[in-house]
Amino acid sequence: MVTFLPSRPGRLADVPSFDRGIGGAESNVACVLAAAGHTTRWISRVGADGFGDHLVETIGGYGVDVSCVRRDPDRPTGIYFRTAGDRSTDAHEVAYYRAGSAASAMSPDGVDLDAVRAGRVLHLSGITAALSAGCLDLLRELTAPRPGRPLISFDVNHRPGLWRDTHGPEILLDLARGADIVFVGEDEAEEVWGITGGPSPIREALPEPDTLVVKQGARGATAFCRPPAGSTDTSRGQSCLPQSPKGPGRCPQGDGGPPARAKSRVGAGGRDGTPQAPGRATPPHPAPAHEPALEVDVVAPTGAGDAFAAGFLSAALRGLPVRDRLRHGHLMAAAALTTPGDLAPPPTRAHADRLAALDDTAWGRLRLGPGWTQADAEADEEVRTP
């Protein structure tokens, strides 16, 4: 959807003008992954209007394959307005105009499921799960256990303002249990499911996913990662990313595009549901890995969660250990935090790898400010330290 960013802090009623941008959890992840050098595809539905043109052109400009995005002649592109404040504060306001949007019309019958399932990783979000009953049907179809499905990455992304009934928490828990990789905030788990006591109780409630990442704000993030089949080395947290038997593919519609490895923006919506485990075995878990967050001079907090997920997935796709995946998540989040919009130029892969490889003491001393991603990866002044 198109995002309107305020020109100054204050209530929506008081802000005189807004700058246009792009928004959407899944498309954000796709753009960051593409900028980090991965082949990505975004699958969605937008209106046959100027805002739809803007979304397709801008997201495609990041290097994302948009050939499978469908244009709806009867429904508009969704838009939303937000204030400049952190969404965790009471002063934060968001005005969604998504009811009846083109994206809300997605369903299993209206999306090319072969194109959606063609990549190694399919990234989904709980935001899309709140848009419509048809979107929820689509998300249930995509998270259902079946032979040869891609690895399912699911960000809970609870947005209470989008849910129109009281079943959102149960639906999100059900969808998370059907995924392979799950991202959820510690405070989010308390808000949605009433789970308190830290990451371990969240893992107890979600034993099914092979990888569970609990984001803990300024304290960092904790990852629970089940080893791949046949692996016994849990000392550093191996990649935990089994290879999908399904190879990359092209979208039959449109003019083709590059093969997909990580795809985004497929939907979900609002239907009664109770938690249902996907029925796969859940062997014992190794000890969790925790990495502290970086000290960052924050410009704007939006987009950091999506950037974290993209950084984690990027490192996982490269087969890096759990510690490095968490650190790449923190680095991508720091890139988003130090820019005003949802999307930010990420550090080069060599730059991020060098920072992620620092020892614990040096990692703890890093402080990142605006412009750090553009610094020469080998320059002494690339980061400011206390």
Side-chain angles (χ1 to χ4, degrees):
M1 59 187 169
V2 170
T3 305
F4 287 93
L5 310 174
S7 57
R8 71 182 190 192
R11 301 184 310 154
L12 287 179
D14 299 329
V15 175
S17 60
F18 296 80
D19 295 321
R20 184 187 63 179
I22 65 171
E26 302 91 334
S27 58
N28 284 345
V29 171
C31 288
V32 175
L33 281 168
H38 297 277
T39 303
T40 65
R41 173 181 290 161
W42 179 58
I43 296 178
S44 185
R45 193 179 186 95
V46 300
D49 50 30
F51 287 149
D53 294 341
H54 174 65
L55 282 176
V56 172
E57 292 168 5
T58 304
I59 294 171
Y62 279 87
V64 178
D65 174 8
V66 293
S67 63
C68 293
V69 177
R70 296 188 175 179
R71 309 300 297 269
D72 191 322
D74 301 316
R75 298 176 181 85
T77 302
I79 62 173
Y80 85 108
F81 296 78
R82 64 171 174 82
T83 53
D86 188 335
R87 65 165 51 100
S88 65
T89 69
D90 293 337
H92 181 73
E93 295 177 77
V94 175
Y96 288 106
Y97 297 92
R98 307 179 75 166
S101 68
S104 71
M106 291 189 294
S107 69
D109 295 331
V111 170
D112 186 334
L113 296 179
D114 288 338
V116 172
R117 293 175 172 138
R120 287 178 62 192
V121 177
L122 171 61
H123 183 71
L124 307 168
S125 167
I127 293 175
T128 319
L131 296 184
S132 70
C135 285
L136 179 57
D137 288 341
L138 175 60
L139 217 63
R140 289 192 185 280
E141 168 67 24
L142 294 173
T143 56
R146 64 179 67 253
R149 80 172 191 181
L151 210 69
I152 302 297
S153 168
F154 180 72
D155 194 334
V156 173
N157 261 329
H158 179 236
R159 298 291 184 268
L162 291 178
W163 290 95
R164 301 185 178 185
D165 57 40
T166 61
H167 297 284
E170 291 89 348
I171 291 171
L172 291 172
L173 187 63
D174 186 20
L175 294 172
R177 285 174 166 171
D180 301 292
I181 302 173
V182 172
F183 299 93
V184 64
E186 186 176 37
D187 55 347
E188 185 178 41
E190 180 177 359
E191 179 186 18
V192 184
W193 302 313
I195 300 174
T196 59
S200 293
I202 300 173
R203 184 50 155 169
E204 292 173 5
L206 284 169
E208 297 88 357
D210 289 331
T211 298
L212 171 67
V213 181
V214 180
K215 297 173 289 183
Q216 299 170 271
R219 285 175 291 141
T222 298
F224 298 83
C225 188
R226 184 180 298 116
S231 172
T232 59
D233 177 16
T234 63
S235 60
R236 276 181 54 82
Q238 54 294 315
S239 74
C240 299
L241 188 64
Q243 298 297 311
S244 169
K246 206 171 176 61
R250 294 183 179 273
C251 181
Q253 288 79 28
D255 57 358
R261 291 180 187 168
K263 307 189 296 296
S264 302
R265 195 136 181 83
V266 280
R271 184 181 72 179
D272 292 1
T274 55
Q276 295 179 357
R280 62 174 183 261
T282 55
H285 306 291
H290 176 83
E291 281 298 313
L294 294 163
E295 188 171 355
V296 177
D297 296 334
V298 177
V299 173
T302 55
D306 302 329
F308 180 93
F312 187 95
L313 291 173
S314 173
L317 285 163
R318 295 168 58 201
L320 300 183
V322 172
R323 187 203 72 165
D324 290 7
R325 282 182 282 157
L326 289 169
R327 288 190 172 188
H328 277 271
H330 288 318
L331 289 166
M332 291 298 187
L337 289 169
T338 51
T339 55
D342 285 13
L343 290 167
T348 64
R349 182 173 288 186
H351 189 176
D353 283 347
R354 190 166 75 85
L355 294 180
L358 292 173
D359 62 38
D360 290 347
T361 300
W363 176 261
R365 293 179 60 214
L366 286 178
R367 179 168 178 171
L368 305 177
W372 75 270
T373 62
Q374 304 305 305
D376 183 349
E378 299 300 327
D380 292 338
E381 65 270 24
E382 66 180 356
V383 293
R384 295 187 292 110
T385 56

